[in-house]
Structure formats: C-alpha cells, structure tokens
Amino acid sequence: MSKAKVKQTFDELLELAKEYGVENNALFLAAAKQYDLQMKVIEMLRESIEGNESMTCEKVYRGKEKNLYADPLVKELPRHTDSANKTLLTMLDIINKLGKPIKKESALSAFEKEFN
C-alpha cells in the first residue's frame, strides 16, 4: 500500500471518529498517535529493505567462521505491520463502542420543515 493511500485511509478514519464524536477521546487519541508512530517505523523499515541489494547479512564467530543469514529487517516488517493493523482495529473498536453517529436529518424531515 502506498504512503498516500495509507494517509488517505488514516484521514478517513479520523473523519469517521469526528462523525461519531470520539475525535477528542483520550483512548482514541492515544491509539491514533501510536498508529502514526507505527506507520513511520514501517516506512523506515521498507526504505531500509528496498535500499539493501542483498537480503542477507553475515555473522562472524570467534573462529572467524562466517555464516549467512536473512536480514533481520525482513522478519521485523510483518511484525510491525501486524501491530499497526491491530491498532487500527482498536481505533475502530473505540469508534464503534464509545461513539454515536450524529443523527442526520432525513429527507422527509427536511421536506416537512420546509412546509411548516
């Protein structure tokens, strides 16, 4: 998912929080800040992985024996992505459980007001 698409999705979630009246809720704000931080870390990991031509690293032991291993960043990226997804689910939970949608006036009600 591109950086612009993630930003758009996050902005839509913030708009949904406004609609449900939880945009200033402490739990929601804490989760939103955590999500923002997680996305910055994920972006840094992706940039590091993309900039690394080889997806491996060497470990040298006392006997000067070299072993080749997968780059640890490759294992970390899915972990951070999973954590960010869980934070998003938490934000949606907060919106659903603590928020109430603002009642929008129906077309019929607006029509009635117009003629009264």
Side-chain angles (χ1 to χ4, degrees):
M1 187 178 273
S2 73
K3 195 174 188 178
K5 181 66 177 166
V6 170
K7 177 74 173 140
Q8 178 186 357
T9 303
F10 186 63
D11 290 344
E12 289 169 356
L13 189 62
L14 292 176
E15 190 62 37
L16 183 64
K18 280 184 185 178
E19 288 176 21
Y20 276 66
V22 295
E23 74 274 13
N24 294 321
N25 179 289
L27 293 173
F28 182 80
L29 290 173
K33 286 179 184 176
Q34 180 64 29
Y35 180 75
D36 189 46
L37 176 63
Q38 289 168 327
M39 291 312 299
K40 288 176 184 173
V41 170
I42 288 169
E43 189 60 35
M44 288 174 24
L45 288 173
R46 283 192 177 137
E47 287 172 3
S48 293
I49 289 171
E50 289 170 0
N52 188 358
E53 290 179 21
S54 170
M55 297 308 296
T56 60
C57 62
E58 285 184 351
K59 287 188 180 179
V60 180
Y61 294 96
R62 288 184 187 176
K64 298 187 182 176
E65 182 180 321
K66 295 180 183 178
N67 288 331
L68 202 56
Y69 292 94
D71 191 327
L73 293 178
V74 175
K75 281 179 31 178
E76 288 300 314
L77 183 60
R79 222 180 265 169
H80 285 278
T81 303
D82 184 51
S83 180
N85 289 338
K86 288 178 182 176
T87 303
L88 270 179
L89 287 175
T90 299
M91 292 169 72
L92 285 172
D93 250 4
I94 292 168
I95 290 170
N96 285 327
K97 290 180 181 174
L98 301 178
K100 293 190 176 25
I102 297 171
K103 293 182 182 178
K104 294 182 180 175
E105 188 174 29
S106 69
L108 183 58
S109 297
F111 184 73
E112 285 177 347
K113 281 184 180 178
E114 192 174 313
F115 290 100
N116 285 333

